Amino acid sequence: MTTAAQHRIGLRLKLDSGVCSIPLHRVHHLAGFATLTGEPDDYFLGWLRFHGERAPVFDLNRVVCDAPTAESFGSRIILLEAAAGAATRYIGLLAAGVTDTAADLPELELDDYLPMLYTLIPEPPAEDA
């Protein structure tokens, strides 16, 4: 059970629009930038293999600010559990400046963006033989 104080703690990240956070209770896993498979397209960057499953990865800065995420030491893929009925179990968001957790930063309204991203998940590439 999460408390109201835990809901205010977020994973700090940097977008072109400024520093914000994703509520920590929504983050399933934090991964370093990795080699992705598949063809990038618009917001979609590729597929990440996570514990034997494929997770689509989207460029969060491009989604929110219409500019690609700048490569930096703090760039990370934030894995969230996908909504019930989604085509995949997880969805990945590439973000820069993921450095720590903080309380009382402006929270990114994920629910404003995730429904659109679910519609943009392409067919995964064929499995390697």
Side-chain angles (χ1 to χ4, degrees), residues 24-25 36 48 62 82 90-91 99 106-107 115-116:
L24 197 55
H25 72 276
L36 304 174
L48 174 70
R62 186 176 295 270
Y90 304 104
I91 189 165
T99 55
E107 286 185 8
M116 175 195 68

Side-chain angles (χ1 to χ4, degrees), residues 53-76:
E53 296 184 41
R54 292 181 184 190
V57 176
F58 294 91
D59 185 332
L60 186 59
N61 197 67
R62 186 176 295 270
V63 170
V64 176
C65 302
D66 205 29
T69 294
E71 291 183 32
S72 71
F73 178 74
S75 294
R76 299 288 183 268

Side-chain angles (χ1 to χ4, degrees), residues 32-53:
F33 193 75
T35 300
L36 304 174
T37 59
E39 288 296 317
D41 182 32
D42 204 14
Y43 305 119
F44 177 73
L45 296 175
W47 293 92
L48 174 70
R49 177 76 63 186
F50 177 69
H51 294 289
E53 296 184 41

Side-chain angles (χ1 to χ4, degrees), residues 43 63 112-121:
Y43 305 119
V63 170
D112 291 345
Y113 302 103
L114 290 177
M116 175 195 68
L117 294 180
Y118 292 137
T119 68
L120 298 176
I121 297 173

